[in-house]
Amino acid sequence: MERPGGKGRPVDLLVERFRKGAPGAFEAIVRAHQDRVYSFCARMLSDREDALDAAQEVFLSAWRNLAEFRGEAALSTWLLRIAANRCLNRIRRRKSLSMHEAPWPELSGETDEAIIFQPAGGEADRPDRLAETCEMGEILTKALSRIDPGSRWMVLLSDVEGFSYEEIATLADVPVGTVKSRLHRARMAMRRLLSPVA
């Protein structure tokens, strides 16, 4: 439908249909983006219920503000920016209530019980590749959970969602150099966390 940072014609048409009051247009937008938004929220918040709530907030905010969406970025980019803001607000709220950030789920091997980072692979059908991918996903999930949330969302946008430095800079409203330095520090921190594994 839509490439990261690119203009996706079907989604653009849905936005126009929504603006004209076409029935079902917003539901189609939600269906097109709900999995991606939820996955992003789950990785940021490390809590399924919290992620579901945040994803619902994202689409509620989108519904309220879609008429003002100018299309300067792709719709998916705009939605992920809303998601990042909602997630960071929830993390700040946790801290302001003197609560520690919820621990990332214990990885018991039951994939339906844990949020696991699953990098894409070309040979996903092979059992040995599936096992390696699952194990690597568990390791990456643990490392990602240990970097600060302000950097975590940039890593997710860059390394999972495929956004460019320029797109992230626009979303974060910071210079490209700041994005590069934050991502460099976050990646170095993850490398240190992953070095015993390598």
Side-chain angles (χ1 to χ4, degrees):
M1 288 275 274
E2 186 178 29
R3 292 175 55 80
K7 296 255 180 189
R9 287 291 296 160
V11 175
D12 290 343
L13 292 174
L14 287 174
V15 171
E16 285 307 311
R17 288 186 61 216
F18 172 77
R19 288 177 176 159
K20 292 177 181 174
F26 189 74
E27 290 80 4
I29 290 170
V30 171
R31 281 194 304 275
H33 295 281
Q34 64 187 355
D35 291 343
R36 190 175 188 186
V37 168
Y38 170 75
S39 294
F40 181 87
C41 292
R43 290 182 182 119
M44 280 294 294
L45 297 169
S46 70
D47 180 276
R48 286 183 183 277
E49 294 301 317
D50 225 9
L52 282 171
D53 290 345
Q56 287 177 351
E57 289 175 9
V58 169
F59 288 109
L60 180 60
S61 177
W63 182 76
R64 289 178 178 153
N65 297 295
L66 198 55
E68 285 82 42
F69 174 64
R70 295 186 303 268
E72 293 172 356
L75 182 62
S76 60
T77 303
W78 184 67
L79 291 170
L80 288 178
R81 179 58 185 159
I82 296 171
N85 285 334
R86 291 289 181 263
C87 292
L88 290 171
N89 287 341
R90 284 177 171 270
I91 291 167
R92 286 185 201 108
R93 203 173 314 133
R94 287 177 185 167
K95 291 180 180 178
S96 70
L97 294 173
S98 301
M99 294 172 59
H100 295 293
E101 184 178 347
W104 277 48
E106 289 299 317
L107 300 171
S108 61
E110 300 174 26
T111 56
D112 59 322
E113 294 296 321
I115 300 163
I116 298 177
F117 178 93
Q118 295 180 348
E123 299 175 291
D125 294 338
R126 290 179 43 188
D128 59 332
R129 291 286 185 217
L130 287 172
E132 287 175 15
T133 299
C134 185
E135 184 179 347
M136 183 55 71
E138 291 175 5
I139 292 166
L140 288 171
T141 297
K142 285 182 182 180
L144 190 60
S145 72
R146 297 177 73 186
I147 64 174
D148 74 280
S151 297
R152 187 185 308 155
W153 78 274
M154 287 189 178
V155 170
L156 288 172
L157 287 178
S158 175
D159 299 344
V160 177
E161 299 293 340
F163 284 77
S164 69
Y165 292 138
E166 291 77 15
E167 290 168 326
I168 297 170
T170 301
L171 289 172
D173 197 25
V174 296
V176 173
T178 302
V179 171
K180 289 180 178 178
S181 65
R182 285 185 190 170
L183 280 171
H184 177 73
R185 284 195 300 271
R187 288 171 179 151
M188 292 303 290
M190 286 190 68
R191 184 174 292 165
R192 283 192 298 274
L193 291 166
L194 294 171
S195 61
V197 178

